[in-house]
Amino acid sequence: MLRLTTLTLALSLPLFAQAASLKDHELTRMLEKVAQESSVGTPRAINEDILDQGYTVEEHELVNHLSVRAAHAAQMRGNPDTVRAQLARSVCGNTGYRQLLARGAVLRYEFSEYKSNRPVTTERFSQGDCTQ
């Protein structure tokens, strides 16, 4: 009986791995589609301080590239908790983003200074960030 159980388990492992691989592939394809659609019309001003440079995908992360004016970058660096809280409200309040997170995606915001591209901050959000 132990041999039969071991054999059954051994034969089913590739099926589980294949299912996980298919799920990962589907998530990546979905993220690539979202990135492409969301990048239409970029760069675009979000407000007078923030310029949306578009989206890319890195593995299971949907990355939003944003440029900010130097003065705004200084404010962001001085108030990292406020920046994270504001982004979390935006992400968790968006049904589409929450659906992506539920499928295992991570949303990443990459902020850099306009023109110099000097890094400002990076924030990542996963499903657990919206259940707190």
Side-chain angles (χ1 to χ4, degrees), residues 76-110:
M76 291 176 72
R77 287 184 184 107
N79 298 289
D81 293 339
T82 301
V83 170
R84 178 140 180 102
Q86 288 175 347
L87 287 170
R89 280 193 302 274
S90 176
V91 168
C92 298
N94 182 304
T95 303
Y97 284 158
R98 283 195 324 270
Q99 289 173 349
L100 289 174
L101 297 177
R103 291 180 179 211
V106 172
L107 300 179
R108 185 172 92 207
Y109 291 87
E110 290 283 338

Side-chain angles (χ1 to χ4, degrees), residues 42-62:
T42 58
R44 64 177 162 256
I46 293 176
N47 60 39
E48 64 187 25
D49 294 315
I50 304 173
L51 184 67
D52 184 349
Q53 299 283 3
Y55 289 78
T56 59
V57 174
E58 294 178 17
E59 296 183 18
H60 296 121
E61 290 189 344
L62 179 63

Side-chain angles (χ1 to χ4, degrees), residues 5-14:
T5 303
T6 304
L7 179 60
T8 302
L9 182 59
L11 292 174
S12 63
L13 286 176

Side-chain angles (χ1 to χ4, degrees), residues 25-57:
H25 179 70
E26 288 175 353
L27 177 60
T28 300
R29 284 187 51 202
M30 181 186 309
L31 292 175
E32 288 171 349
K33 181 179 179 191
V34 169
Q36 183 180 22
E37 290 173 359
S38 298
S39 293
V40 171
T42 58
R44 64 177 162 256
I46 293 176
N47 60 39
E48 64 187 25
D49 294 315
I50 304 173
L51 184 67
D52 184 349
Q53 299 283 3
Y55 289 78
T56 59
V57 174

Side-chain angles (χ1 to χ4, degrees), residues 43-44 46-54 64-70 72-73 76 110-118 120:
R44 64 177 162 256
I46 293 176
N47 60 39
E48 64 187 25
D49 294 315
I50 304 173
L51 184 67
D52 184 349
Q53 299 283 3
N64 189 191
H65 302 274
L66 301 146
S67 296
V68 297
R69 291 174 38 186
H72 193 71
M76 291 176 72
E110 290 283 338
F111 289 91
S112 62
E113 284 186 26
Y114 182 68
K115 293 188 181 176
S116 73
N117 286 330
R118 188 172 150 219
V120 176

